[in-house]
Amino acid sequence: MVVSVEHRFYGQSNPLPDLSGNSLKYLTVDNVLEDFASVVRAIRANETATNSTVIGLPVSVAPESPVIFVGGSYPGAVAAWMRAKYPDLVAGAWSSSAAVYGRLENYQFDQGFGRHLKTAMVAGGGGSGCAECFAQAVADLDQILLSGDAARIAAVQERLGIPLLGTSDLANLLTVLATIGALQPVTTVSDPVYSTVCVYFEKGLNQTTDTKGSGYSACLNSYIAMINGLVAQSGLTPPMLVALGNSSLAVDNTALNQPQRVWYYQMCTWFGMWQVAPPPMSNSSSSGLVEYRSQLLDLDYFQSSCPKKFGAQAKDPADVDSFNAKWFEILRNTSNVFYTSGSLDPWRDSTVDTSWGNLVDPPGASVVLTIDGATHAQDLQPSRSTDLLSVKQARMLGKRLVKQWIRQARRDSRHRYNC
C-alpha cells in the first residue's frame, strides 16, 4: 500500500491560518518529522476501516506493518531523516537526489549545471563549447547590466523580451529559465539541456559575425535566442514574466496556498541553498569555478527578501552550521537508506554523493549510488521505454533493498512478539 502524506503548510495541511513569519516559525524539521511519525502511528493504531477514526484508510493495516519512506529532492531528505530519527517506526528509506547538506551560498548548483552543459552538446550530436559559450554570454550580459547605461540595459531587455524588471531580478529570471531543463530527465533519445540550451549555442559557435547588427557577441546573441525560445515554449507573456521575476511583488501576502513562499521560508531559516554566482575572486581557471549566472545574484539579493517576507526572525542568514551539525550528522550512523543521485544533477554536491566523493560513509546496510547520465531524482520518475540503462539498474537495486528491509523488519517483529 502506498500512502502519500502532505507536508505542513503545503496544500491543505495548514496548522495555522496564514503564512506569516509568526505562523511559519512552527515550520521546523523536528515538527515536520513528528507530523509524519504521527501519521505512521495513527495508521498502525487503526487496524480496520470501521474503527479508523484518524486516517480513514480503506484497508486494514497490521500494527507491525513495515514502513518504507520514499522521496526525491527535499522529500528524499525527509525520507532519510525519518529513518534516522525514527528507526523503530521506519524500516528503510529510498532517498533520491536529497539535498541534505545545507549551504548558505550554493554556487555548486551552477557548477553541476556546467558539467551537464559540457556533455549535453556531444550527446546531442554537436561539437563542444556549449558551456564555454554560455559562460561567455553571461559575462557579456553582465557587462551591460552592470554598466549603469540605461539605454544599453533597455535595449538588451527589449531583445530578451522581458522589459520593466530591475537588473538583478532580470538576471535571476534569466537563470531560472535557462536551467529549467537541467532538472528534467535525460533519456536514450533526448537531453533537455541540449534541446533547450545547447542547440542555440551550437548555432552561435558557427557564427563569426554579428548577424543581428546589435554589436553583441555571437555567444550573447545565442543566449538571447535561447531565452526567446524558452519563453515561447513556456507560453509566458511579458506581464507574466515580470510578475514571476519581480522579487518585491507580494512580499507581504501571507495568504495560504503559496508553496514557493513556504519554500523561501525554509531557505531563509533552515539551510540556505541560495543559488548564487561563485565569489568573484574564485572565478579563475585555477579555482575551477565558472560563472553561469550573473554576479548580481549574490547572497544579499536573496537574503534581503527574508525579513521583508517574514519579519525580524528571518533577519539573519540561516545558521547552516548548526543545521548540518544536527541534520547532516544524524545520517552518519543511519542504516537502511538508499541514497541515489544523478551524475548530471545540479543538486548533487549538496547530497551525500557529491562529484568529489561521499560526504558520508554510511553503515554497510545503507547504499550510495551515482546514476550515470541521470539528472534530478530520475530514478523515481515514471518508467518509460527510453530510460537510461543506469536508471533502470538503480530502480532494480532500490526494489531489492526495499524487499530486504521489509523482510528484516518482519523478522525483527516476530522476534519481539516471541520474546
Side-chain angles (χ1 to χ4, degrees), residues 106-123 127-136 138 175 178-183 191 193-194 197-198 201 275-276 278 283 288-293 342-349 355 374-375:
N106 186 22
Y107 52 80
Q108 290 86 350
F109 181 95
D110 283 355
Q111 304 311 301
F113 177 56
R115 286 194 293 272
H116 198 158
L117 292 176
K118 291 174 183 176
T119 65
M121 205 166 203
V122 175
S128 60
C130 178
E132 293 79 3
C133 199
F134 187 102
Q136 183 60 55
V138 169
T175 305
T179 57
I180 285 175
L183 300 179
D191 182 340
V193 167
Y194 176 77
V197 178
C198 286
F201 290 94
Q275 293 170 25
V276 300
N283 190 38
L289 299 177
V290 181
E291 289 181 18
Y292 296 109
R293 73 178 61 212
S343 64
L344 298 180
D345 184 359
W347 281 102
R348 183 182 175 192
D349 286 344
S355 59
T375 56

Side-chain angles (χ1 to χ4, degrees), residues 14 23 33 47 58 107 158 169 176 196 202 237 253 277 287 355 359:
N14 297 297
S23 294
L33 300 187
E47 296 186 47
Y107 52 80
E158 185 67 25
D169 283 348
V176 170
T196 63
E202 182 179 43
T237 63
N253 180 4
S287 71
S355 59
L359 289 181

Side-chain angles (χ1 to χ4, degrees), residues 136-189:
Q136 183 60 55
V138 169
D140 293 345
L141 184 58
D142 254 6
Q143 284 188 345
I144 299 172
L145 298 181
L146 294 168
S147 70
D149 187 327
R152 291 181 70 201
I153 294 170
V156 77
Q157 284 190 285
E158 185 67 25
R159 283 282 310 280
L160 289 162
I162 309 175
L164 305 177
L165 276 179
T167 52
S168 295
D169 283 348
L170 173 65
N172 188 47
L173 179 59
L174 295 176
T175 305
V176 170
L177 292 170
T179 57
I180 285 175
L183 300 179
Q184 297 174 12
V186 173
T187 71
T188 56
V189 295

